[in-house]
């Protein structure tokens, strides 16, 4: 992977970092702007000269800048901000308890402790672990296949994964999505314990474990990127 930069735009827009990679499978030049983190990726077939690829990017500079300008802005998690929890927006405020808690439509954070954002992040991770473990256990029992390992990460390219050794991994940001979406992702990954593919047989298994899932899958495609807007530093 090599890095290049689009030049400063005609109206003073800053340079844009472009990540270039080559692919044996690629049949044509492709340019992608990630909706999750704004990463600009240029993929070239093996025999296409780098110069040709960079010329293609230069031709698409206006499109790239347009895509970047449409990305949702970041939200710093702090007092007075709002954050989704299982699909419901909660206002962050100070509370009198010694731990983070939910009261009505408020997420209450103790005062005099570490930074608000870090407290909220720790609370969300704990809640995500509890709910995702429970969902994974439930679907694994229904499938009749145990998983070997459970991991939470802050992944940007996928909401979950299942290894060939039976290890399940999830993005803890799923706790911000509606409960049904979190459960669908758990059923999806548990189904991979039996079917390590996305064949019709796999999707039939997901539906057997979870039920109709099209609405939840659609929600992730339409709204999932927004869950990465929140910064906890």
């Amino acid at each position: 992977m090599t890095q290049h930069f689009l030049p400063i735009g005609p109206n003073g827009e800053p340079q844009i970092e472009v990540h270039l990679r080559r692919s044996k499978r690629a049949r044509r030049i492709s340019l992608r702007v990630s909706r999750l983190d704004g990463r600009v990726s240029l993929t070239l077939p093996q025999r296409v000269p780098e110069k040709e690829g960079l010329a293609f990017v230069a031709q698409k500079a206006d499109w790239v800048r347009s895509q970047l300008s449409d990305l949702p802005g970041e939200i710093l998690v702090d007092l007075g901000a709002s954050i989704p929890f299982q699909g419901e927006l909660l206002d962050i405020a100070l509370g009198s308890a010694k731990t983070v808690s939910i009261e009505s439509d408020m997420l209450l954070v103790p005062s005099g402790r570490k930074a608000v954002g870090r407290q909220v992040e720790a609370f969300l991770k704990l809640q995500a672990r509890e709910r995702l473990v429970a969902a994974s256990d439930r679907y694994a029992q229904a499938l009749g296949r145990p998983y070997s390992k459970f991991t939470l990460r802050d992944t940007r390219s996928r909401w979950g994964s299942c290894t060939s050794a039976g290890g399940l991994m999830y993005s803890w940001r799923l706790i911000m999505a509606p409960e049904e979406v979190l459960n669908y992702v758990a059923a999806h990954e548990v189904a991979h314990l039996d079917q390590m593919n996305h064949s019709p047989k796999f999707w039939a298994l997901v539906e057997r474990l979870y039920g109709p899932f099209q609405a939840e899958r659609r929600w992730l495609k339409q709204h999932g990127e927004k869950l990465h807007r929140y910064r906890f530093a």
Side-chain angles (χ1 to χ4, degrees):
M1 180 80 71
T2 58
Q3 296 170 295
H4 296 271
F5 291 87
L6 275 176
I8 295 173
N11 298 315
E13 299 95 339
Q15 288 185 318
I16 297 173
E17 186 174 4
V18 179
H19 298 265
L20 185 154
R21 73 182 186 92
R22 291 192 178 275
S23 171
K24 294 180 179 178
R25 297 182 179 181
R27 294 293 177 265
R28 59 184 178 82
I29 299 173
S30 66
L31 184 63
R32 179 176 178 271
V33 178
S34 170
R35 297 293 297 175
L36 294 179
D37 57 7
R39 183 184 178 95
V40 181
S41 301
L42 173 68
T43 302
L44 296 182
Q46 287 290 350
R47 296 187 177 183
V48 172
E50 184 175 299
K51 183 178 180 180
E52 183 177 338
L54 295 178
F56 178 81
V57 175
Q59 292 174 0
K60 298 291 185 178
D62 290 344
W63 176 83
V64 171
R65 295 184 192 279
S66 174
Q67 292 294 304
L68 291 173
S69 67
D70 287 341
L71 292 176
E74 291 187 355
I75 296 176
L76 180 64
V77 176
D78 206 341
L79 296 176
S82 299
I83 192 167
F85 178 82
Q86 292 204 297
E88 300 294 330
L89 205 59
L90 303 179
D91 297 326
I92 303 172
L94 286 177
S96 57
K98 294 182 179 181
T99 59
V100 178
S101 61
I102 295 175
E103 185 176 312
S104 185
D105 60 350
M106 306 286 288
L107 184 64
L108 302 178
V109 181
S111 61
R113 295 169 64 87
K114 59 183 179 181
V116 169
R118 293 303 183 191
Q119 292 187 73
V120 173
E121 181 180 18
F123 173 80
L124 294 178
K125 287 180 177 179
L126 177 61
Q127 296 298 317
R129 178 172 293 276
E130 290 180 356
R131 286 165 170 77
L132 283 164
V133 165
S136 298
D137 287 349
R138 183 169 67 252
Y139 296 127
Q141 183 176 8
L143 181 65
R145 287 204 171 196
Y147 55 92
S148 62
K149 186 179 180 181
F150 179 96
T151 307
L152 283 184
R153 295 178 183 166
D154 192 7
T155 50
R156 306 188 73 84
S157 60
R158 59 181 63 187
W159 296 107
S161 65
C162 177
T163 69
S164 58
L168 300 179
M169 184 283 297
Y170 300 100
S171 167
W172 61 262
R173 290 180 186 256
L174 283 167
I175 194 62
M176 293 189 274
E179 182 179 8
E180 315 85 70
V181 173
L182 179 148
N183 287 333
Y184 154 67
V185 174
H188 181 120
E189 300 310 331
V190 167
H192 279 310
L193 294 172
D194 184 75
Q195 296 290 321
M196 287 296 288
N197 52 60
H198 286 101
S199 65
K201 189 174 181 180
F202 165 79
W203 290 112
L205 181 55
V206 175
E207 186 157 8
R208 178 166 73 81
L209 292 173
Y210 176 78
F213 56 82
Q214 288 76 14
E216 288 76 13
R217 194 176 180 208
R218 186 163 54 249
W219 191 96
L220 278 174
K221 289 183 178 181
Q222 294 176 347
H223 305 288
E225 68 187 58
K226 298 174 185 176
L227 303 185
H228 292 274
R229 300 171 63 190
Y230 297 90
R231 294 290 173 264
F232 298 85

